[in-house]
Amino acid sequence: MNKIRKTKILPPLLLAALALSMAACTKTGIVDLSTIEVTSVFSSECLTSHITGKGWDNPDTIDVQYNDGTLIVHHKNLSVNCDFDSVDVNLATSNDTITIFEDGSTNTADCICEIENHFQIKNLPQGNYVLVFKSCKPSPIIITLNL
């Protein structure tokens, strides 16, 4: 036995009203961050150092500046292992949250070094963001930006 499938065609005015109501229910704050990238990473030499496990000497200071799609980041008192060669900066994104991982390239010395780390995040559209900075310190640093 053949089944007959009936399809209803909605009038154009009803379709327009449906489209508008669906648009009103879309999520806000979700942007495409698939093209952002880290560039221009530069790190200072050790500013201060101490033996591993003795605590953290100075609080981190993070300054950011936004200019034409580029976020310029200056992270002072970033803690890395004393024998670092460079700092690797990697990103993970989820909706409007950008998690920034800053890790020294080696990890064999028994001391911690505080440095200044500079880098840029390119192709960042204007919007509201939560930046989560993670390093070897136990607690992340969280900054809210309105660009």
Side-chain angles (χ1 to χ4, degrees), residues 1-5:
M1 177 179 227
N2 291 336
K3 292 184 179 180
I4 299 175
R5 187 174 188 181

Side-chain angles (χ1 to χ4, degrees), residues 15-26:
L15 283 175
L18 181 61
L20 285 174
S21 66
M22 289 175 69
C25 296
T26 59

Side-chain angles (χ1 to χ4, degrees), residues 53-138:
K54 296 293 182 185
W56 310 104
D57 289 341
N58 299 307
D60 291 44
T61 303
I62 299 175
D63 294 316
V64 295
Q65 181 181 13
Y66 184 79
N67 185 16
D68 196 29
T70 299
L71 188 69
I72 302 165
V73 180
H74 176 199
H75 188 164
K76 188 172 181 185
N77 298 325
L78 171 65
S79 295
V80 296
N81 198 271
C82 287
D83 66 349
F84 81 101
D85 292 324
S86 62
V87 174
D88 297 322
V89 179
N90 295 295
L91 305 176
T93 61
S94 176
N95 297 329
D96 62 351
T97 299
I98 303 170
T99 303
I100 302 165
F101 300 92
E102 296 176 280
D103 297 308
S105 57
T106 55
N107 195 16
T108 58
D110 190 23
C111 66
I112 297 295
C113 180
E114 291 178 342
I115 64 168
E116 290 187 20
N117 194 39
H118 306 264
F119 59 93
Q120 296 179 4
I121 300 175
K122 295 212 175 226
N123 304 319
L124 182 65
Q126 288 185 331
N128 298 321
Y129 298 99
V130 176
L131 302 181
V132 180
F133 289 82
K134 292 189 174 185
S135 64
C136 68
K137 290 187 178 175

